[in-house]
């Protein structure tokens, strides 16, 4: 009898292998050649993107949080697998109110150029702080992804910071929001980088998207 591989175990093995930071790209032309699939991470500044990337890869310090939040203005590229299987792209945070308008404009131009001009982009993971749910600025980004016809999945972060009943409510509300968006993946994942809750499922989703034909 042939058994199908366990997606969570397969993903654990994938991330147990080589994962490394490659480069930071201030513009699209500085990105490496598009020779493999890419999974991008987007989210409001201070949503916990760096912590989630570190938990996902099982490597503390691989992605470094900026201080203060919102300083990251480049596309950070991480490579998974040896030989290379897929790349993770850490996009600049959005919605940081204290950033100068010219910096915000540069962020937006970089992100939009990437979304429009990267054919190997398989999925964007849009991170939502579970304590706040989908904010108007998140909805704006989701609408942009819809217009760009880029597949994306909503991921709740910091799930350990609220009570389980509250998390269940936010999860249901976020799933309802996803159903109204044309390019949103129907399943919403709840995670905690601190406790590891939901990280195995997130790994499986990333590997599935990154290794899809």
């Amino acid at each position: 009898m042939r058994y199908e591989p366990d997606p969570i175990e397969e993903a654990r093995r994938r991330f147990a292998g080589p994962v490394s930071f490659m480069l930071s790209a201030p513009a699209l032309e500085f990105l490496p050649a598009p020779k493999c699939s890419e999974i991008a991470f987007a989210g409001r500044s201070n949503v916990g993107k760096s912590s989630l990337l570190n938990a996902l890869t099982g490597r503390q310090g691989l992605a470094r949080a900026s201080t203060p939040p919102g300083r990251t203005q480049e596309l950070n590229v991480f490579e998974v697998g040896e030989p290379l299987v897929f790349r993770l792209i850490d996009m600049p945070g959005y919605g940081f109110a204290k950033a100068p308008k010219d910096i915000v404009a540069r962020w937006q131009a970089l992100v939009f150029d990437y979304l429009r001009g990267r054919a190997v982009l398989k999925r964007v993971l849009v991170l939502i702080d579970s304590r706040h749910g989908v904010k108007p600025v998140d909805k704006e980004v989701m609408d942009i992804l819809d217009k760009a016809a880029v597949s994306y999945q909503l991921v709740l972060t910091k799930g350990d910071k609220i009570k389980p009943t509250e998390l269940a409510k936010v999860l249901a509300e976020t799933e309802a929001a996803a159903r109204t968006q044309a390019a949103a993946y129907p399943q919403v994942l709840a995670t905690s980088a601190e406790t590891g809750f939901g990280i195995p499922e997130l790994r499986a989703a990333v590997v599935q998207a990154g290794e899809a034909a």
Side-chain angles (χ1 to χ4, degrees):
M1 181 181 293
R2 182 177 179 181
Y3 294 93
E4 291 298 320
D6 178 359
I8 287 179
E9 176 59 18
E10 288 292 308
R12 185 196 66 78
R13 291 178 181 175
R14 173 61 66 199
F15 280 102
V19 180
S20 61
F21 170 76
M22 184 185 184
L23 56 80
S24 293
L28 206 61
E29 59 264 30
F30 294 98
L31 285 171
K35 62 181 182 180
C36 66
S37 300
E38 294 175 353
I39 310 299
F41 291 74
R44 286 183 288 121
S45 297
N46 216 19
V47 76
K49 189 150 47 71
S50 296
S51 297
L52 192 71
L53 276 164
N54 289 334
L56 175 74
T57 60
R59 290 160 173 83
Q60 286 299 323
L62 181 69
R64 297 182 180 180
S66 58
T67 305
R71 284 279 178 84
T72 302
Q73 300 172 31
E74 301 177 333
L75 297 168
N76 293 317
V77 181
F78 303 89
E79 295 195 328
V80 180
E82 181 61 51
L84 177 63
V85 180
F86 59 85
R87 294 187 177 111
L88 306 177
I89 310 295
D90 180 11
M91 298 201 296
Y94 57 80
F96 188 59
K98 295 182 180 180
K101 290 184 178 179
D102 61 327
I103 292 178
V104 172
R106 287 204 301 271
W107 289 350
Q108 291 178 340
L110 175 61
V111 169
F112 296 165
D113 284 349
Y114 173 71
L115 294 177
R116 288 195 301 259
R118 202 67 173 172
V120 294
L121 176 61
K122 294 296 185 180
R123 187 174 299 172
V124 176
L125 298 177
V126 179
L127 310 188
I128 307 291
D129 192 322
S130 62
R131 299 171 298 180
H132 308 301
V134 176
K135 292 290 188 181
V137 68
D138 298 316
K139 180 64 166 60
E140 290 176 17
V141 170
M142 291 156 65
D143 290 341
I144 290 167
L145 291 166
D146 283 342
K147 291 178 182 177
V150 175
S151 174
Y152 62 96
Q153 185 167 13
L154 304 183
V155 178
L156 296 177
T157 65
K158 305 183 181 181
D160 60 302
K161 303 300 183 184
I162 60 176
K163 296 178 180 179
T165 53
E166 294 174 353
L167 180 60
K169 179 183 177 183
V170 173
L171 181 61
E173 292 171 348
T174 308
E175 287 175 338
R179 287 194 293 270
T180 68
Q181 305 290 140
Y185 196 76
Q187 182 186 21
V188 176
L189 298 174
T191 67
S192 166
E194 189 168 318
T195 68
F197 168 72
I199 298 300
E201 290 77 12
L202 178 61
R203 284 195 192 110
V206 168
V207 169
Q208 180 187 40
E211 298 187 356

